[in-house]
């Protein structure tokens, strides 16, 4: 296809409750949506970058800048573009994977809509629904945590992940085991908040039968994650560290992770995400699909990705109402602990224009030169 135009839309959506991680508290999600146009066809891609560079070095205004000045013109100036060639066309720009992923998704969505093919069919997904896990932020108190987790279990979520940080680590896990028993699938996510000097904390966590410990150490501490993995029995899962299939191959080879969190945005796109899935399957490493507080656009695409056969652990694919009172697409729903894999053409249902307009705070457009 020839791309005719790219529109960048910033949406601002209040969260139903504050979401606290080891790196900060979010009360509103500001997200960038990329709208690609070719002839009469359109496609949407959601960028996972947050407003500030706290989870990753990429952040919303930085993404807008790099797309506007560099990545957008490279795609708009190309004679032909397909989703499968976006990665190669944008390769000269170093890094900026979240920006590239959003562009690739917009092109892929357009391509699939034009062909009348669902993302699940394109990927070769093998399931029509995926188990729904929920990520629970750091709470003001242990009692609050137990109450919030109880609410999610009542709603049917099949796996609980809690955020931890130094000082909010063993006690909350113990409290959840005491309240809900050893049977609930439970895992923790440190978002890089610890060092190897905290190994004793992780040894204590070993007694609680967690599914995994996610990203305990710094993003670039692959070697130290391998050391930690040798010291504890709970499986170590990497998130932030896995920025590409190459990084995944290194982490697996070094024994730094026996489980991988796959987020398409973090690794530069859904096609790289599938390569990581394939690599993990070939190496007997389990994967699950991470979440970044996506709107229905990214959330639906994640559900299709998570329906690939190697995604053997429940992902952070919750219902829209876990974060948003009103989504911009028809809401993603949880039913019997699962989320349906979208079967319509493209990567997600189209946003509903009135709902999208109501939350749009900024728009910019660029067209083919
Ligand atoms: O369900 O969408 C969700 C959120 C899952 O906890 C979640 N995401 O580190 O994985 C993470 C975390 C995150 C959220 C990271 C926001 C960055 C920003």
């Amino acid at each position: 296809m020839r791309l005719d135009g790219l529109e960048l839309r910033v949406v601002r959506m209040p969260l139903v409750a504050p979401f606290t991680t080891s790196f900060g508290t979010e009360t509103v999600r500001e997200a960038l949506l990329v709208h690609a146009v070719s002839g009469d066809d359109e496609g949407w891609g959601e960028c996972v970058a947050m407003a500030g560079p706290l989870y990753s070095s990429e952040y919303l205004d930085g993404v807008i800048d790099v797309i506007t000045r560099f990545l957008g013109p490279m795609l708009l100036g190309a004679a032909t573009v397909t989703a499968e060639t976006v990665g190669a066309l944008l390769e000269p720009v170093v890094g900026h994977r979240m920006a590239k992923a959003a562009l690739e998704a917009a092109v892929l969505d357009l391509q699939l809509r034009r062909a009348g093919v669902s993302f699940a069919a394109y990927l070769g997904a093998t399931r029509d629904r995926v188990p729904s896990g929920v990520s629970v932020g750091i709470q003001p108190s242990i009692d609050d945590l137990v109450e919030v987790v109880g609410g999610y279990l009542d709603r049917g979520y099949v796996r609980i992940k809690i955020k931890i940080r130094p000082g909010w680590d063993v006690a909350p896990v113990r409290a959840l085991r005491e309240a809900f028993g050893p049977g609930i699938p439970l895992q923790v996510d440190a978002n890089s908040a610890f060092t190897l000097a905290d190994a004793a904390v992780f040894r204590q966590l070993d007694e609680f039968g967690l599914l995994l410990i996610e990203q305990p150490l710094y993003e670039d501490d692959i070697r130290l994650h391998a050391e930690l993995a040798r010291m504890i029995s709970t499986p170590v899962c990497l998130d932030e560290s896995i920025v590409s299939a190459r990084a995944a191959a290194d982490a697996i080879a070094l024994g730094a992770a026996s489980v991988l969190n796959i987020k398409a945005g973090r690794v530069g796109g859904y096609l790289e995400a599938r390569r990581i899935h394939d690599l993990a399957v070939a190496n007997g490493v389990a994967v699950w699909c991470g979440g970044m507080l996506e709107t229905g656009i990214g959330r639906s695409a994640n559900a299709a990705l998570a329906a690939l056969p190697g995604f053997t652990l429940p992902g952070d694919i919750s219902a829209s109402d876990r974060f948003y009172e009103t989504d911009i697409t028809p809401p993603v729903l949880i039913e019997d602990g699962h989320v349906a894999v979208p079967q319509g053409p493209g990567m997600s249902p189209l946003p509903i224009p009135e709902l999208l307009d109501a939350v749009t705070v900024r728009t910019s457009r660029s067209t083919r030169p």
Side-chain angles (χ1 to χ4, degrees), residues 19 21 23 26 29 48 50 55 133-136 161 163 189 191 214 239-240 261 263 288 290-294 299 316-318 322-323:
F19 185 60
T21 64
F23 55 83
E26 313 288 330
R29 177 64 160 127
V48 299
M50 309 293 289
Y55 166 84
V134 65
S135 172
V136 182
K161 146 170 155 180
K163 296 289 188 177
D189 182 3
N191 286 114
E214 186 179 357
D239 170 12
E240 284 91 330
N261 165 332
K263 288 177 181 162
W288 55 281
M292 297 276 284
L293 285 66
E294 284 89 349
R299 196 170 290 275
D316 284 342
I317 307 173
S318 49
R322 185 262 171 267
F323 290 111

Side-chain angles (χ1 to χ4, degrees), residues 50-75:
M50 309 293 289
L54 303 179
Y55 166 84
S56 63
S57 62
E58 286 188 86
Y59 64 100
L60 190 111
D61 284 321
V63 168
I64 293 173
D65 185 71
V66 79
I67 291 180
T68 305
R69 295 175 57 201
F70 299 101
L71 303 175
M74 289 163 92
L75 292 188

Side-chain angles (χ1 to χ4, degrees), residues 10-230:
V10 178
V11 295
R12 198 163 194 281
M13 295 167 59
L15 302 182
V16 292
F19 185 60
T20 298
T21 64
S22 60
F23 55 83
T25 297
E26 313 288 330
T27 56
V28 66
R29 177 64 160 127
E30 266 195 306
L32 173 70
L33 304 177
V34 176
H35 185 217
V37 178
S38 170
D40 292 337
D41 295 309
E42 61 173 329
W44 290 88
E46 176 167 351
C47 183
V48 299
M50 309 293 289
L54 303 179
Y55 166 84
S56 63
S57 62
E58 286 188 86
Y59 64 100
L60 190 111
D61 284 321
V63 168
I64 293 173
D65 185 71
V66 79
I67 291 180
T68 305
R69 295 175 57 201
F70 299 101
L71 303 175
M74 289 163 92
L75 292 188
L76 289 166
T80 64
V81 175
T82 64
E84 295 77 14
T85 57
V86 166
L89 284 167
L90 303 182
E91 173 96 52
V93 170
V94 174
H96 295 282
R97 293 182 172 90
M98 293 176 178
K100 291 175 178 176
L103 289 166
E104 184 192 85
V107 172
L108 180 53
D109 185 49
L110 194 161
Q111 185 173 312
L112 294 176
R113 281 181 199 287
R114 189 173 266 178
V117 173
S118 72
F119 185 40
Y122 171 83
L123 285 172
T126 51
R127 287 171 287 177
D128 59 10
R129 59 178 209 159
V130 294
S132 182
V134 65
S135 172
V136 182
I138 293 165
Q139 301 296 316
S141 72
I142 298 273
D143 286 348
D144 289 313
L145 176 71
V146 170
E147 191 185 324
V148 167
V149 168
Y152 288 129
L153 291 171
D154 288 345
R155 291 226 45 212
Y157 285 103
V158 300
R159 185 228 65 194
I160 303 293
K161 146 170 155 180
I162 66 162
K163 296 289 188 177
I164 58 169
R165 68 178 168 208
W168 180 267
D169 39 49
V170 177
V173 170
R174 177 176 292 121
L176 291 179
R177 282 300 188 218
E178 279 169 10
F180 304 110
I184 60 158
L186 181 64
Q187 64 194 54
V188 296
D189 182 3
N191 286 114
S192 303
F194 293 83
T195 70
L196 201 55
D198 300 307
V201 171
F202 298 109
R203 283 214 193 86
Q204 285 182 66
L205 287 175
D206 272 346
E207 75 178 84
F208 298 105
L210 299 176
L211 287 171
L212 56 90
I213 293 176
E214 186 179 357
Q215 196 70 40
L217 313 177
Y218 291 144
E219 178 178 324
D220 51 4
D221 268 348
I222 301 271
R223 182 177 56 84
L224 294 186
H225 277 105
E227 248 178 70
L228 178 65
R230 282 191 289 273

Side-chain angles (χ1 to χ4, degrees), residues 248-297:
D250 284 356
I252 293 170
L254 288 168
S258 50
V259 182
L260 300 180
N261 165 332
I262 299 185
K263 288 177 181 162
R266 194 194 64 228
V267 304
Y270 283 91
L271 301 188
E272 184 77 351
R274 184 173 52 185
R275 286 190 280 273
I276 296 175
H277 161 272
D278 296 349
L279 173 85
V281 169
N283 284 276
V285 164
V287 304
W288 55 281
C289 182
M292 297 276 284
L293 285 66
E294 284 89 349
T295 74
I297 293 178

